[in-house]
Amino acid sequence: MKTKKQFSALIISAILYAMQADAATLYSRSNGTWSSNSNWSYTQGGASCSCSPGSTDVVIISHTINMDKNLSGGSAGITSNVSILQGGAMLGNNNWDIDFRAGSSLDNNGMLIARNVTFYNGTTIMIATGASLIVTGNLDNRNNSNNITFNGTVTVNGSFSNGNGGIIAGSGNIEIINGPVTNTGTTFAYSGISPCAKLPCTILGNVALPVEWLSFKAKQQQASVLLTWSTATESNNDFFTIEKGTSAGNFVVLGSVRGAGNATQKNDYNFSDNQIIKGTVYYRIGQTDLDGKQTYSDVISINTLPVKDVKLSPNPLSTNRVKLESNLLDDGEVSVKIFDMKGKEVKFEIFPSIIHGEAFIQFEQADLIPGGMYQVNIVSGNQINQEKLLIQ
């Protein structure tokens, strides 16, 4: 008959065993497959545990382990820590996928080859110097997955995607063979843009930026939008390309401005967009190196207003009535003030909301003023137009 103390010890042992079974640390002990019970041990260099890794186990690989199933999707994705030591390899080749889920990590000092690889938000990924990650299919760094470091070599045969808020840092390089490339996050300081002008391409980490941006602004000036930007430094900068879009991802080229080449001092640039349209408009500046490589500025937007055209007729005025034509008249109440050249107000009139863009300023007998040049101020909201009117 078991004593109370013995019974309690059995319960504790059972709990510890269950915990170990659910989340253990497993070491590779020989070359073989991921699912083989003979390839793993609870201690480094120890006897077989007669077990294989689960998604929550800490896995340390110093041999060549061949993946024999997808470690992706639902509960099969990696939710703990995988370390590949120098000389170790984890090979899924062109057959098997792997997901690193939130809270998981990969410390790769050897080689990892898999078909499709996904890094979820909340993962910690390190491809160490001298190590390699080969993706025979697609690499997807999900939105806001910002603790990703590539100091080694990463090769992607298919699509490369770095989502919004995703940050890939490091001093290694990424070679993308077929693409496509989507980089709405930041990859090796390429922010919010595709760093590949054509495929295949190699993206180098920790390299000097061709342009250090200080500012990029847009301001409407009546019938145009003035774009201004400044750089702190430039390296082999050939020219800038000004691009415009009605959405943040759909741009057309407006023109170009010559760069400074190499500069360590501030340089200021400007460009006028004379094809103004009403509504939200997006702009970005493309920068092209002397060797043809291209990077982009951040995207900025401006909410443009319609151009306010005003016409007075007849002008010169020889009758007692002048017609005012303007799209101002469709925007609500409009006030009109007429001043002589000494600044004295000689006529004031308010028009309520008037459609079809025209109204008439009537000079009654009491309003008759001498011939000469006058200034007409037409005010609608915070928009003021000034026109000259010659009265004969």
Side-chain angles (χ1 to χ4, degrees):
M1 182 175 179
K2 291 184 174 66
T3 65
K4 185 175 182 181
K5 182 180 291 186
Q6 289 173 322
F7 188 70
S8 297
L10 286 173
I11 293 175
I12 293 172
S13 297
I15 292 173
L16 291 174
Y17 178 81
M19 290 175 63
Q20 185 183 55
D22 287 341
T25 298
L26 300 184
Y27 296 83
S28 70
R29 59 186 299 271
S30 61
N31 298 336
T33 62
W34 180 271
S35 300
S36 174
N37 289 347
S38 63
N39 292 332
W40 303 97
S41 173
Y42 288 133
T43 60
Q44 188 171 11
S48 170
C49 62
S50 296
C51 62
S52 60
S55 63
T56 61
D57 291 331
V58 175
V59 179
I60 301 173
I61 298 173
S62 57
H63 298 80
T64 297
I65 298 298
N66 293 296
M67 292 170 58
D68 54 0
K69 63 179 181 179
N70 286 323
L71 302 176
S72 63
S75 60
I78 301 296
T79 60
S80 188
N81 311 105
V82 174
S83 293
I84 304 174
L85 306 183
Q86 284 186 355
M90 185 172 175
L91 307 179
N93 298 324
N94 198 35
N95 301 313
W96 306 109
D97 305 337
I98 186 168
D99 293 348
F100 289 89
R101 300 272 172 160
S104 70
S105 67
L106 168 66
D107 184 11
N108 180 15
N109 293 271
M111 176 182 291
L112 171 60
I113 305 177
R115 181 174 58 186
N116 299 312
V117 177
T118 303
F119 302 141
Y120 282 76
N121 183 16
T123 58
T124 300
I125 305 296
M126 167 61 77
I127 310 300
T129 302
S132 61
L133 167 63
I134 300 174
V135 184
T136 60
N138 305 321
L139 175 62
D140 183 11
N141 188 45
R142 295 291 179 89
N143 292 352
N144 301 313
S145 183
N146 56 14
N147 199 8
I148 313 298
T149 305
F150 293 164
N151 288 332
T153 300
V154 176
T155 304
V156 182
N157 189 64
S159 67
F160 171 87
S161 177
N162 183 29
N164 294 333
I167 299 176
I168 299 175
S171 58
N173 69 281
I174 307 170
E175 184 177 9
I176 303 168
I177 308 300
N178 295 306
V181 175
T182 303
N183 183 48
T184 53
T186 300
T187 300
F188 292 159
Y190 294 94
S191 180
I193 54 95
S194 170
C196 295
K198 59 182 180 179
L199 293 162
C201 82
T202 297
I203 310 168
L204 297 177
N206 215 21
V207 297
L209 293 176
V211 167
E212 183 181 355
W213 302 90
L214 284 178
S215 64
F216 178 30
K217 299 177 181 179
K219 182 179 180 180
Q220 183 174 351
Q221 294 188 324
Q222 186 62 7
S224 66
V225 173
L226 178 64
L227 302 172
T228 58
W229 64 99
S230 300
T231 62
T233 61
E234 298 180 31
S235 177
N236 295 320
N237 179 29
D238 191 1
F239 61 91
F240 297 100
T241 304
I242 297 85
E243 299 185 10
K244 171 184 178 180
T246 53
S247 67
N250 182 23
F251 290 90
V252 296
V253 175
L254 296 180
S256 62
V257 173
R258 181 62 57 188
N262 294 288
T264 57
Q265 76 282 352
K266 179 183 177 184
N267 280 281
D268 298 316
Y269 300 90
N270 66 80
F271 182 89
S272 289
D273 175 14
N274 298 318
Q275 302 172 4
I276 192 169
I277 57 177
K278 182 179 180 180
T280 302
V281 182
Y282 298 86
Y283 294 96
R284 70 180 183 183
I285 305 293
Q287 174 277 323
T288 302
D289 287 353
L290 293 171
D291 59 4
K293 292 182 180 179
Q294 190 173 50
T295 63
Y296 284 90
S297 71
D298 291 336
V299 176
I300 64 172
S301 64
I302 182 174
N303 189 22
T304 55
L305 298 172
V307 179
K308 304 299 185 179
D309 293 322
V310 175
K311 181 181 179 182
L312 300 174
S313 62
N315 190 6
L317 177 64
S318 57
T319 67
N320 65 342
R321 190 171 76 160
V322 59
K323 181 166 74 171
L324 170 64
E325 297 176 276
S326 174
N327 54 7
L328 282 168
L329 299 177
D330 294 333
D331 291 344
E333 182 177 277
V334 175
S335 65
V336 177
K337 293 183 179 181
I338 302 178
F339 300 88
D340 64 19
M341 290 297 97
K342 294 181 180 180
K344 178 183 177 182
E345 182 181 313
V346 297
K347 177 73 174 176
F348 175 66
E349 193 162 351
I350 294 178
F351 297 93
S353 180
I354 301 174
I355 61 174
H356 304 310
E358 66 178 30
F360 292 91
I361 304 170
Q362 187 77 27
F363 292 93
E364 305 297 341
Q365 186 66 31
D367 298 324
L368 294 181
I369 53 180
M373 186 67 71
Y374 292 83
Q375 178 175 299
V376 182
N377 287 2
I378 304 101
V379 181
S380 175
N382 60 1
Q383 182 76 35
I384 301 176
N385 282 74
Q386 296 180 336
E387 298 292 324
K388 291 290 191 290
L389 176 64
L390 177 60
I391 298 179
Q392 294 181 333

